Amino acid sequence: MKSTPMTEFDTAFAEDTFKGLINFPKYLLSKYIYNEKGDKLFQKIMEMPEYYLTNCEKEILEEHTAAIADSFNGPQGFDIIELGAGDGKKTKILLRHLAEKKYNFTYQPVDISQHVLDELEETLAKEMPQVEVKTQQGTYFKTLERLADYNTRKKIIMVLGSNIGNLLHKDAINFLKNIQNSMSADDMLFMGFDQKKHPQKILNAYNDPAGITEAFNKNHLERINIELEADFDTKNFLHWESYNPETGTAKSFLVSKIAQKVNIKKLDLKVSFEAWETIHTEISQKYDDAVVDWLASEAGLAIENSFSDGENYYKNYVFRK
Ligand code: AVI
């Protein structure tokens, strides 16, 4: 499959792609879907009627705004530290309420991309100039460490969108542990978790008839084509979604429709596919209270409260140390 052994890689993307495609069964890490095109496709996914997660979380933030805001408040006010804010559409529901009710707070979105932060800061300055925004450029955990060192008042760490669902349980626990390490006794974690529900509802959310999720999934191969000089023909792959109602795990695959060979020049790698061989590309975990409680306790956190949409499709939990 591979002509010469390669020990050094230019980027983590190159190394992880190599490891995933020489593995059996083959896999790719979903974090690499998010290049510029991947970000745009995910934006479209969030607007699809089938992708209920966005509207459910929006409903929770709209219907329970006052109770959520109240639970955040502390004697000297509070700082909202949001990991992965994106365009901040959902967060703005909460920020608008906090500003109107004159809560003493700052909003500190964290992102690796200064460009994303600049755009968010600009729209917030226009839409709600009374909100004090302090953008934090950097990786999530380095930023949390830094903030833990000098931040003295109550921190509300916020992670929306059920992003934790893209992690295996052991990685999700590590993610929560890293957050827990940066928290003091007063601080809170406010986080969204998509819930177990009718399996068909979940399958429809990850397999839309317009093919947006298919394009999102196949974008991973396109990224490999561009950045690692590969010749994947995406027409020869099928987007496939599965959901196991016992474990709550939705899995995305790309299935090779034919026997084929793909050349990845920059990895000096020729990958062979049997007809109907799979590449596992993403997991989207669905939860219930017992699993969330278990993940939290493994990470030294406890559920203090939770808010749900009318259908109980989605929940935002409040955790403390
Ligand atoms: C970002 N993440 C929570 C999305 C999800 O639901 O797993 C990514 C996604 N994949 C396909 N559709 C949406």
Side-chain angles (χ1 to χ4, degrees), residues 34 42 45 51 53 161-163 166 206 213 216 282 284:
Y34 301 91
F42 183 52
I45 286 176
Y51 195 70
L53 289 80
S162 201
N163 289 340
N166 298 129
Y206 293 91
T213 311
F216 176 73
E282 190 181 44
S284 297

Side-chain angles (χ1 to χ4, degrees), residues 34 41-58 90 160-166 194 197 201-209 212-213 216 241 250 282-286 313-314:
Y34 301 91
L41 285 167
F42 183 52
Q43 210 61 41
K44 278 193 168 178
I45 286 176
M46 288 193 291
E47 287 159 14
M48 301 181 332
E50 296 85 2
Y51 195 70
Y52 59 85
L53 289 80
T54 314
N55 281 338
C56 288
E57 195 166 47
K58 201 163 154 261
K90 285 176 285 184
L160 302 181
S162 201
N163 289 340
I164 193 165
N166 298 129
D194 193 21
K197 60 185 65 63
K201 180 93 190 161
I202 293 169
L203 284 173
N204 293 348
Y206 293 91
N207 195 14
D208 59 290
I212 300 170
T213 311
F216 176 73
E241 192 65 25
E282 190 181 44
I283 73 156
S284 297
Q285 183 64 39
K286 309 302 162 197
Y313 282 166
Y314 193 95

